[in-house]
Amino acid sequence: MLKFSGEFNHAYIITYERKPKLYKKLIYLNLLLFVIISWLQFNLQQTILITIIYNILIYIIGGNEIIIEQMQIIKNIGIQIEKRKSNGSVSREFINQNIIRDVVLQEGLTTFTVEIYLAIICKGMKQMILPFQYNLSTDQLMQIYYPLRQMIM
């Protein structure tokens, strides 16, 4: 889900939020774990140990998935990109307006598809910065692209 907030003249916040892919699988795994523990009739210590091991595995498997991506555009200052993962960790990156060379909609080719994504080209950097890791629709990208260009370029 894409959300827009803020005042267009000074600061603008764009948030993309999605459910983790493992969400439905975790429900089934919790149910399965409960059935197994009930069926095997473990004592309290064994149940706690199994639960701890299970939670560690879930943290390792599903902890690196980005669930919220946010781009804050601050007029005449720059862009802050924030990514929140399902394990609770947050990473932030600030891009000063002075080093931004261009904002583009780039096409990426795979074997069977053409994907369009938003990219920020910075001076002195070999790689482009992608504010949104997950593919958004062309309409959503256009809703982001025009305000971003007007405020930054």
Side-chain angles (χ1 to χ4, degrees):
M1 179 187 320
L2 197 62
K3 297 177 189 175
F4 299 91
S5 61
E7 189 177 325
F8 183 69
N9 296 330
H10 303 291
Y12 202 57
I13 300 172
I14 302 160
T15 305
Y16 178 63
E17 187 173 346
R18 64 195 258 342
K19 280 188 178 177
K21 290 180 181 179
L22 290 176
Y23 182 74
K24 288 182 180 177
K25 293 178 185 176
L26 290 177
I27 293 171
Y28 295 125
L29 286 174
N30 276 325
L31 183 61
L32 181 64
L33 181 67
F34 178 75
V35 169
I36 290 171
I37 289 175
S38 298
W39 182 66
L40 295 175
Q41 297 179 351
F42 287 117
N43 64 27
L44 182 61
Q45 290 176 342
Q46 292 170 330
T47 303
I48 291 173
L49 180 64
I50 290 171
T51 305
I52 290 171
I53 292 171
Y54 171 75
N55 286 320
I56 290 171
L57 287 173
I58 294 304
Y59 180 80
I60 292 169
I61 293 170
N64 293 332
E65 190 174 4
I66 296 173
I67 56 171
I68 298 176
E69 296 177 300
Q70 188 175 65
M71 181 170 60
Q72 299 174 2
I73 309 163
I74 306 164
K75 191 170 188 171
N76 298 325
I77 296 176
I79 300 170
Q80 179 170 307
I81 299 168
E82 181 177 302
K83 298 183 184 215
R84 295 179 186 265
K85 296 184 178 181
S86 56
N87 64 9
S89 67
V90 178
S91 65
R92 290 182 182 94
E93 179 180 7
F94 181 77
I95 307 166
N96 193 327
Q97 183 176 354
N98 297 332
I99 66 165
I100 297 174
R101 190 168 57 177
D102 203 1
V103 177
V104 295
L105 289 175
Q106 185 71 30
E107 292 178 347
L109 303 173
T110 63
T111 308
F112 300 106
T113 61
V114 176
E115 297 173 355
I116 300 174
Y117 53 90
L118 182 70
I120 300 170
I121 301 172
C122 297
K123 299 173 189 170
M125 294 180 75
K126 293 181 181 180
Q127 294 183 345
M128 296 181 280
I129 297 172
L130 304 178
F132 299 99
Q133 179 180 340
Y134 296 106
N135 297 333
L136 300 173
S137 70
T138 306
D139 292 338
Q140 290 174 325
L141 287 172
M142 295 305 269
Q143 288 176 341
I144 298 168
Y145 176 73
Y146 288 118
L148 178 60
R149 270 197 80 79
Q150 287 179 352
M151 290 183 77
I152 295 298
M153 303 309 292

